[in-house]
Each structure stands twice: as C-alpha cells, then as structure tokens.
Amino acid sequence: QVRLVEFGGGLVQPGASLRLSCVASGFTTGIYDMAWYRQGPGKQRELVASITSGGSTSYIDAVKGRFAISRDNPKNMVHLQLNNLKSEDTAVYYCNRHGTNYAWGQGTHVTVSS
C-alpha cells in the first residue's frame, strides 16, 4: 500500500528557511521522477519542483533560486529546502510521483507571515 507522509512545515517570518521532508512507503522513490506540489489558500494545487530518477531538477519560476529539491534514495525520502520564504509561499506542500500521482498524503503546512 502506497503511503506518502510529509513533514517539516511551520509558521515562519518572511525571509526564513524551512526544510520539508517526505517519506514514502509501498514503492521505491529512487526509480521514479518525484515532485513537490503546493496548494495555497483558495488556489489549485500546483507543481513546485521536480527531480528525475537521475537527479535532474526543475522548478517553477516563482521559486527558482530559493527552493531546492533533493532525494535520499536509501531512506526512500524526498526533501524540499525552502529559503528566503515569501508570504506567497504560504500553502500546504505535498510530495508525490511526478506526473503519475499516487494517492495524496496529508501534506505539511507552511505559513509565512510577519
């Protein structure tokens, strides 16, 4: 049974950093392209960053230079480093396979507010 558990979110001030983590079970993350998505208040879920099985990364323009996606294959985990956070980054963040999504986890809340 596939399960995705995200954690690491919190309430931070603008300019702060957070490191989000996702641990997967029921499948091997290392053989798939993985991604982080987010859903802000009143918005649709959007792709934020992706990483191929080979380690190539891609980001939406809004987070380029501030966020960094990485993977830890032995631990079946995917991380997202969030730096220089802005209020518009406030959202629930989810990880999943990139493209062919499994059932979504509960996500982790990131709130950026002064």
Side-chain angles (χ1 to χ4, degrees):
Q1 181 179 356
V2 171
R3 188 178 182 206
L4 295 160
V5 178
E6 302 91 350
F7 57 94
L11 170 62
V12 296
Q13 292 186 338
S17 297
L18 284 172
R19 186 179 190 235
L20 308 184
S21 296
C22 168
V23 58
S25 57
F27 72 104
T28 302
T29 59
I31 63 174
Y32 295 112
D33 297 349
M34 296 295 295
W36 281 92
Y37 301 78
R38 69 184 179 186
Q39 186 167 16
K43 299 180 181 180
Q44 290 190 330
R45 187 178 288 147
E46 65 173 347
L47 174 68
V48 175
S50 62
I51 184 166
T52 68
S53 57
S56 297
T57 59
S58 179
Y59 304 90
I60 59 171
D61 287 345
V63 307
K64 279 182 182 177
R66 299 190 298 120
F67 290 10
I69 187 171
S70 60
R71 59 197 310 155
D72 185 340
N73 291 339
K75 294 183 179 179
N76 225 34
M77 295 182 72
V78 183
H79 305 285
L80 186 67
Q81 178 69 39
L82 288 64
N83 297 322
N84 190 22
L85 281 160
K86 304 177 180 181
S87 58
E88 51 263 42
D89 297 319
T90 293
V92 182
Y93 285 73
Y94 305 85
C95 75
N96 213 316
R97 278 183 61 184
H98 182 212
T100 304
N101 300 143
Y102 287 122
W104 297 95
Q106 83 289 346
T108 186
H109 291 250
V110 173
T111 303
V112 185
S113 175
S114 55

